[in-house]
């Protein structure tokens, strides 16, 4: 269903078009020698991108593939990813749309970071639009990339408050700070095998009734089911997945959904509920959370 965990450090490539502060966070979280994964390649469509200089400063291979049309860029990038034995690709401020030629073979191993609570506010000028709409909350989303623009299955989201005094710049700065923790965590979820996109593998595991119910869920609710399934798989309780998806399944299912929620947001109320679970379940959830939260 997912190639992860690999049982060796994953080789990570980052594609960035600009300033690269999220790239910096990813390189800090996955440095050379990290047992889970290492950023080994940074690619940019913009030779002037600060992201390339940041990679060089950390001794990470930095390659500019100046944009001369989609086809040329994608062919160059695909060849390089293959030559470097890349396992996972993270888009971090990469401002080009990738075609099915690129996206399809990498589906499930290609992530994007977008500065809104998708499916709300896809596209550009997000913070200005959020302010104009008078939203009280915004945030950021890590999702698997599919053929659309900012449409792929959501992996993880983080909420950020909007203040009435915010300018687009102030809001951007607040969201960015949140992203520096969100993106590395999302990558850890994938590399550890807790995070994967929905597909035939999931359908086979949960069965038709649960799959139908899952597909009827709002897009923002689906990631919690997927992370809960990831937890059940990891805990050796995959047989409970169909019931869990149907809202049953007892304490293991309950623990799985608490895990999924606590990964997204450390809510004290939910932490308290965790204490009410049987010892074995609580321990499994705490261990899983530790693995996801811990930088090593
Ligand atoms: C980030 O906020 C990211 O969410 C956004 O660009 C910024 C990149 O900043 N991505 C998109 O808008 C993609 N559509 P950075 O270059 O400093 O990491």
């Amino acid at each position: 269903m997912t190639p992860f965990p690999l049982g060796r450090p994953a080789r990570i490539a980052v594609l960035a078009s600009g300033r690269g502060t999220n790239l910096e966070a990813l390189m800090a979280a996955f440095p050379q020698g990290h047992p889970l994964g290492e950023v080994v390649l940074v690619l940019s469509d913009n030779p002037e991108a600060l992201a390339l200089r940041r990679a060089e400063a950390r001794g990470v291979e930095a390659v500019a593939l100046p944009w001369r049309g989609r086809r040329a860029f994608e062919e160059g990038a695909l060849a390089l990813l293959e030559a470097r034995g890349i396992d996972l690709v993270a888009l971090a401020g990469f401002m080009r749309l990738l075609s099915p030629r690129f996206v399809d073979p990498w589906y499930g191993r290609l992530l994007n970071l977008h500065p809104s609570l998708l499916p709300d506010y896809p596209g550009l000028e997000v913070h200005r639009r959020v302010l104009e709409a008078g939203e009280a909350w915004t945030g950021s989303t890590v999702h698997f990339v599919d053929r659309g623009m900012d449409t792929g299955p959501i992996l993880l989201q983080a909420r950020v408050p909007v203040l009435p005094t915010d300018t687009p710049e102030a809001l951007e700065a607040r969201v960015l700070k949140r992203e520096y923790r969100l993106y590395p965590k999302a990558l850890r979820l994938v590399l550890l095998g807790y995070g994967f996109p929905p597909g035939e593998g999931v359908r086979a595991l949960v069965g038709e009734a649960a799959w139908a119910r899952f597909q009827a869920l709002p897009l923002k609710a689906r990631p919690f089911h997927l992370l809960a399934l990831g937890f059940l798989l990891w805990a050796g309780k995959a047989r409970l997945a169909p019931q869990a998806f149907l809202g049953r399944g007892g304490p293991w299912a309950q623990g799985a959904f608490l895990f999924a929620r606590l990964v997204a947001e450390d809510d004290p109320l939910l932490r308290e509920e965790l204490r009410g679970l049987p010892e074995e379940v609580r321990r499994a959830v705490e261990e899983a959370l530790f693995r996801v939260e811990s930088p090593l």
Side-chain angles (χ1 to χ4, degrees), residues 26-145:
L26 288 175
M27 292 191 298
F30 299 102
Q32 223 182 354
H34 193 291
L36 201 53
E38 309 169 325
V39 176
V40 295
L41 176 66
V42 174
L43 259 175
S44 183
D45 56 312
N46 168 18
E48 308 302 323
L50 184 55
L52 292 170
R53 309 286 90 76
R54 290 181 189 271
E56 285 161 3
R58 284 188 181 257
V60 173
E61 184 181 14
V63 178
L65 279 174
W67 191 260
R68 294 193 188 92
R70 197 170 321 279
R71 191 178 191 102
F73 178 86
E74 289 183 342
E75 279 173 2
L78 283 169
L80 201 60
L81 296 176
E82 166 131 27
R84 296 295 184 271
I86 299 301
D87 301 297
L88 182 72
V89 179
L91 309 182
F94 182 71
M95 303 312 274
R96 307 277 185 180
L97 198 61
L98 294 164
S99 81
R101 183 190 316 122
F102 190 99
V103 165
D104 288 353
W106 278 92
Y107 186 69
R109 299 180 300 151
L110 174 59
L111 297 174
N112 184 41
L113 176 69
H114 182 80
S116 77
L117 293 172
L118 290 173
D120 304 335
Y121 303 99
L124 299 174
E125 299 225 41
V126 170
H127 305 299
R128 184 183 56 75
R129 289 189 286 138
V130 165
L131 286 174
E132 280 172 8
E135 303 281 5
W137 289 93
T138 184
S140 186
T141 301
V142 179
H143 66 94
F144 294 99
V145 178

Side-chain angles (χ1 to χ4, degrees), residues 212-250:
R213 175 142 161 196
F214 169 76
Q215 289 209 298
L217 289 172
L219 293 178
K220 282 180 191 167
R222 291 186 200 177
F224 299 113
H225 280 61
L226 293 170
L227 290 175
L229 176 59
F231 171 83
L232 290 173
L233 283 169
W234 175 86
K237 303 287 175 193
R239 69 190 158 75
L240 297 176
Q243 290 160 311
F245 267 46
L246 291 168
R248 302 192 291 267

Side-chain angles (χ1 to χ4, degrees), residues 127 130-131 138 160-162 166-176:
H127 305 299
V130 165
L131 286 174
T138 184
V160 173
V162 181
D166 275 343
T167 59
E169 293 73 27
L171 189 54
E172 181 191 20
R174 193 175 307 121
V175 170
L176 271 169

Side-chain angles (χ1 to χ4, degrees), residues 172-191:
E172 181 191 20
R174 193 175 307 121
V175 170
L176 271 169
K177 276 199 181 150
R178 198 62 193 78
E179 289 181 324
Y180 303 153
R181 278 188 290 143
L182 176 75
Y183 212 6
K185 189 198 278 189
L187 260 73
R188 284 196 292 274
L189 283 171
V190 173
L191 297 174

Side-chain angles (χ1 to χ4, degrees), residues 220-290:
K220 282 180 191 167
R222 291 186 200 177
F224 299 113
H225 280 61
L226 293 170
L227 290 175
L229 176 59
F231 171 83
L232 290 173
L233 283 169
W234 175 86
K237 303 287 175 193
R239 69 190 158 75
L240 297 176
Q243 290 160 311
F245 267 46
L246 291 168
R248 302 192 291 267
W252 279 103
Q254 214 182 326
F257 283 110
L258 282 173
F259 164 78
R261 284 286 174 175
L262 286 166
V263 163
E265 200 164 343
D266 197 351
D267 182 331
L269 265 178
L270 294 181
R271 281 262 169 200
E272 227 174 275
E273 279 187 41
L274 201 55
R275 284 201 282 277
L277 289 177
E279 177 77 5
E280 190 192 2
V281 180
R282 184 179 58 74
R283 269 180 199 274
V285 174
E286 278 170 357
E287 200 181 322
L289 283 172
F290 179 77

